[in-house]
Amino acid sequence: MTISSGIIFIFTSLLFLSGYVLQQQTVRSLQAAIHPPLPPAPTAAPSATTLARPFGHPPGSNGYASYQKILGGLAPDIDWKRAAYVQLVTGHMTVCNAVMVFAELAAQKSRAQRILLYPKMWDRDLEQDGLNTLELERSTRLIRVAAVRYGVVLAPIERMLDVGEDNTSAAFPMSGLLSLTRFDHLLYLQSSGLIIDSSILDTLFSMPTNASFTSFSDPSTELPALTLITPSKAAFQTAMTFLHSDPLSEPSYLRNNTHFLTQPSMPAPLVSRTSSLHIASEDFDSGTFLSQAGYVQLLDGDIKGPEYNIPRDVFLQSRPEPGEARTTWEELYEIYRMRRMDVCGLDLEPMPLAYGPVLDVEVVVDT
């Protein structure tokens, strides 16, 4: 009986120990999966003339190398405290687009500051009964997300021009950004688009220019996708004097006071638009297209915007001809949709009623 008990005890102990060993191996495997080991520290810091670029295309990619070559030797030292990406939102529909820009800049480790300007009246309306709408609550939530998650400096501003309560965008002109004289340069991106490579965009802060506005698109473009702004008190006063006399004339003012650097002046298409994929050549290469572009604006004539749930027939008809350009076009719209959901927690917006066909229905009222 004693021998049997001893044998049972020994086997029970062995079984317990084997189970314990297996359990510890499983725990270590889970810990390794959840907390993978950190990569080794770099052996040398990057040189002062090379912008850090831990994500996306490496410094040897075509677009990055081209812009480093043209700009790197001109003004290699950038005071990153005086360089900033700026977004000016005047309506609730554009808030998510702005936050998406900042989210990608944070993900790609851009060293420039990030500033979000929005109407100060939103803060006041949020505290008043009857003015606190669902749209306002959503915008306020996203603005706070920008500050907390992506290190964005929030700047609520008052209306600059008296153009009536309904014309909100004109009341906050882009020319007002000239007043931010604590910065040497500001980079303003039009919505809605995707930052492909922020390191290419960062090189623009080293561009020596005395122009108040520098655009990197064709002069015929009504709203440049990307504008480099050089703040100045004198330029701001000049712009405001002009706009106070004609508050709705900012588009023409910007067009007449912008220095345009078009394709012949630049080594690669710094800013691209999805509409350009409709005229892509037969040897179009998606890798080359994306490696040279810092920012791609999703802009097509038949599509109101990538933030809207476009009717499928309209979407299919708006695509480029079959080929690699079409695949790239579709992928860009899908990436935008996914980023919008990941960053803002928002699905695509329903189309405005005015966008679709209007039904001519006769209403008969019984008397």
Side-chain angles (χ1 to χ4, degrees):
M1 183 68 177
T2 304
I3 297 176
S4 300
S5 299
I7 294 174
I8 293 173
F9 175 77
I10 292 173
F11 277 102
T12 302
S13 300
L14 291 174
L15 183 63
F16 171 79
L17 290 174
S18 62
Y20 178 78
V21 170
L22 289 174
Q23 182 190 49
Q24 292 303 306
Q25 290 178 344
T26 303
V27 169
R28 284 194 293 270
S29 299
L30 289 173
Q31 289 176 338
I34 297 173
H35 301 291
L38 295 175
T43 55
S47 64
T49 57
T50 303
L51 296 173
R53 185 68 179 91
F55 292 93
H57 305 295
S61 66
N62 295 336
Y64 187 96
S66 299
Y67 289 106
Q68 280 289 336
K69 184 176 181 180
I70 192 173
L71 301 175
L74 298 177
D77 298 324
I78 300 175
D79 184 353
W80 292 106
K81 293 182 179 179
R82 297 183 60 84
Y85 288 91
V86 60
Q87 289 286 282
L88 172 63
V89 297
T90 59
H92 297 297
M93 189 60 67
T94 58
V95 175
C96 178
N97 294 321
V99 178
M100 287 171 62
V101 167
F102 292 130
E104 196 59 27
L105 290 171
Q108 297 191 21
K109 304 294 184 183
S110 171
R111 290 181 284 176
Q113 307 299 304
R114 300 156 204 153
I115 308 173
L116 174 60
L117 293 90
Y118 66 94
K120 193 171 185 177
M121 59 185 178
W122 288 1
D123 292 339
R124 293 193 293 264
D125 292 347
L126 192 64
E127 300 173 356
Q128 298 184 30
D129 293 337
L131 298 178
N132 187 359
T133 64
L134 292 177
E135 278 190 331
L136 179 58
E137 290 182 352
R138 185 180 75 176
S139 295
T140 303
R141 174 182 66 82
L142 292 174
I143 289 171
R144 290 171 180 167
V145 166
V148 174
R149 292 185 185 174
Y150 310 123
V152 176
V153 176
L154 305 181
I157 56 175
E158 299 286 2
R159 298 167 69 93
M160 300 180 192
L161 299 175
D162 185 11
V163 290
E165 293 296 327
D166 295 334
N167 199 343
T168 308
S169 58
F172 300 94
M174 192 174 79
S175 301
L177 300 178
L178 293 169
S179 65
L180 302 179
T181 53
R182 61 172 290 188
F183 298 99
D184 295 329
H185 292 301
L186 303 170
L187 208 52
Y188 178 79
L189 302 175
Q190 282 283 355
S191 59
S192 305
L194 295 171
I195 293 179
I196 305 299
D197 191 344
S198 66
S199 66
I200 294 178
L201 302 180
D202 283 348
T203 59
L204 299 178
F205 290 114
S206 67
M207 175 174 286
T209 175
N210 295 321
S212 297
F213 304 99
T214 303
S215 174
F216 304 89
S217 56
D218 191 273
S220 62
T221 304
E222 184 176 353
L223 291 175
L226 185 152
T227 303
L228 183 67
I229 302 173
T230 305
S232 160
K233 183 177 180 180
F236 171 70
Q237 292 175 342
T238 300
M240 288 299 103
T241 299
F242 179 87
L243 294 177
H244 277 299
S245 63
D246 189 359
L248 301 179
S249 62
E250 192 189 35
S252 61
Y253 179 83
L254 291 176
R255 200 159 39 245
N256 295 331
N257 290 273
T258 297
H259 176 55
F260 289 92
L261 287 178
T262 53
Q263 177 63 30
S265 308
M266 304 302 292
L270 170 71
V271 179
S272 296
R273 285 177 165 161
T274 50
S275 57
S276 67
L277 297 174
H278 291 268
I279 55 174
S281 61
E282 294 183 357
D283 59 349
F284 171 83
D285 179 71
S286 176
T288 302
F289 174 80
L290 294 176
S291 69
Q292 294 180 345
Y295 183 68
V296 176
Q297 188 178 21
L298 277 65
L299 186 66
D300 294 273
D302 296 333
I303 295 181
K304 182 174 178 62
E307 62 269 25
Y308 289 100
N309 189 9
I310 307 298
R312 181 160 180 79
D313 58 335
V314 175
F315 185 82
L316 294 177
Q317 293 173 7
S318 302
R319 296 178 302 172
E321 294 297 321
E324 191 167 353
R326 172 185 282 189
T327 302
T328 304
W329 187 92
E330 292 174 337
E331 288 177 349
L332 289 170
Y333 271 89
E334 179 61 15
I335 290 172
Y336 183 94
R337 185 192 67 79
M338 294 175 62
R339 283 189 187 174
R340 177 180 167 87
M341 176 60 72
D342 292 342
V343 173
C344 304
L346 298 176
D347 205 344
L348 297 179
E349 299 287 341
M351 287 298 303
L353 294 177
Y355 184 81
V358 177
L359 298 179
D360 185 11
V361 179
E362 181 181 356
V363 178
V364 179
V365 180
D366 295 333
T367 58

